[in-house]
């Protein structure tokens, strides 16, 4: 079955960096676009970034552009989110998701918590 | 960026009664291929989100038929025909037409 497992979250100081990973299994990872969506404590869903199936196209929310980089390793079936210049308002659970616009099922991981605090 | 505005933000409903959530986009959501990429998600307490509806009105596999989506252009609606206890959740619309993708603020459905 499809599994998405995020890792790499933790506590980081303002201005610091972190790299999140999402290990995918149970489907042909290299043929799907992948996204990161976050959710601050007690708040709504906030779309962060996406990469095309081959990594050639990348898209970002304005709030993270220039600070976050999405990437993927299609040999190891891993999605990454490199986060730099972290701010307090980046504190959230970060979800990896196979988000599609079509009838194919949408899958989400369980999320990894990033807390930016001094 | 396309702004997605949901209403109401809080929705108390009696079990067995109908519920309706509105979602309005600041720009039209028709893509160049003619499709309208408007999705609805459900997030139960403590769980990851789950998609209910894609392309305005298509139910995902396993979604009960009491959930329905409708709308066009910039105005969309999610309806639950007879609310059950398991429907207590926050519901989000999300547009998949324009970059960056954007979600509505969420509507919290609770039982009266």
């Amino acid at each position: 079955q499809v599994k998405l497992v995020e890792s790499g979250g933790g506590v980081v100081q303002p201005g610091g960096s972190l790299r999140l990973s999402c290990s995918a299994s149970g489907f042909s990872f290299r043929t799907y676009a992948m996204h990161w969506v976050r959710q601050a404590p007690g708040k709504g869903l906030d779309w962060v970034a996406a990469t095309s199936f081959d990594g050639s196209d990348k898209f970002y929310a304005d709030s993270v552009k220039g600070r976050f980089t999405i990437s993927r390793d299609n040999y190891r079936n891993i999605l990454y989110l490199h986060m730099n210049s972290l701010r307090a308002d980046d504190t959230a659970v970060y979800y990896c998701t196979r988000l599609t616009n079509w009838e194919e099922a949408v899958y989400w991981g369980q999320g990894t918590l990033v807390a930016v605090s001094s | 960026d396309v702004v997605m505005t949901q209403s109401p933000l809080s929705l108390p409903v009696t079990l067995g009664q109908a519920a309706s959530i509105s979602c309005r986009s600041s720009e039209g959501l028709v893509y160049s291929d003619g499709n309208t990429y408007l999705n609805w998600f459900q997030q139960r307490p403590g769980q990851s989100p789950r998609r209910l509806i894609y392309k305005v009105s298509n139910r995902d596999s396993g979604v009960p038929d009491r959930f329905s989506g409708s709308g066009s252009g910039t105005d969309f609606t999610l309806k639950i025909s007879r609310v059950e206890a398991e429907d207590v959740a926050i519901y989000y619309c999300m547009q998949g037409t324009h970059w960056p993708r954007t979600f509505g603020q969420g509507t919290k459905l609770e039982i009266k």
Side-chain angles (χ1 to χ4, degrees), chain A:
Chain A
Q1 78 278 25
V2 171
K3 283 189 74 176
L4 298 171
V5 180
E6 302 93 338
S7 60
V11 180
V12 60
Q13 291 189 337
S17 299
L18 214 53
R19 187 186 77 168
L20 305 184
S21 301
C22 171
S23 179
S25 60
F27 67 103
S28 181
F29 178 75
R30 68 185 62 193
T31 66
Y32 285 88
M34 295 294 296
H35 300 240
W36 288 98
V37 172
R38 67 185 179 182
Q39 188 168 35
K43 302 297 184 183
L45 300 174
D46 182 29
W47 182 87
V48 174
T51 174
S52 59
F53 70 100
D54 60 357
S56 61
D57 291 313
K58 300 177 184 183
F59 305 90
Y60 298 94
D62 291 346
S63 59
V64 307
K65 204 174 291 184
R67 300 188 301 123
F68 290 11
T69 301
I70 189 171
S71 64
R72 63 191 299 159
D73 183 336
N74 281 349
Y75 293 100
R76 298 172 63 203
N77 291 350
I78 302 176
L79 177 72
Y80 297 105
L81 185 68
H82 306 256
M83 303 185 295
N84 296 323
S85 303
L86 284 161
R87 311 185 303 221
D89 62 358
D90 294 318
T91 293
V93 172
Y94 284 74
Y95 293 101
C96 160
T97 171
R98 194 188 87 173
L99 200 55
T100 80
N101 272 329
W102 305 282
E103 64 180 330
E104 290 173 303
V106 173
Y107 292 98
W108 298 73
Q110 286 305 299
T112 186
L113 176 62
V114 172
V116 183
S117 173
S118 54

Side-chain angles (χ1 to χ4, degrees), chain B residues 4-38:
Chain B
M4 306 297 288
T5 303
Q6 290 183 227
S7 63
L9 300 185
S10 178
L11 184 55
V13 183
T14 302
L15 285 173
Q17 295 300 302
S20 180
I21 301 171
S22 169
C23 175
R24 288 189 170 172
S25 58
S26 61
E27 297 177 31
L29 299 184
V30 179
Y31 190 57
S32 54
D33 63 4
N35 288 308
T36 300
Y37 295 116
L38 187 283

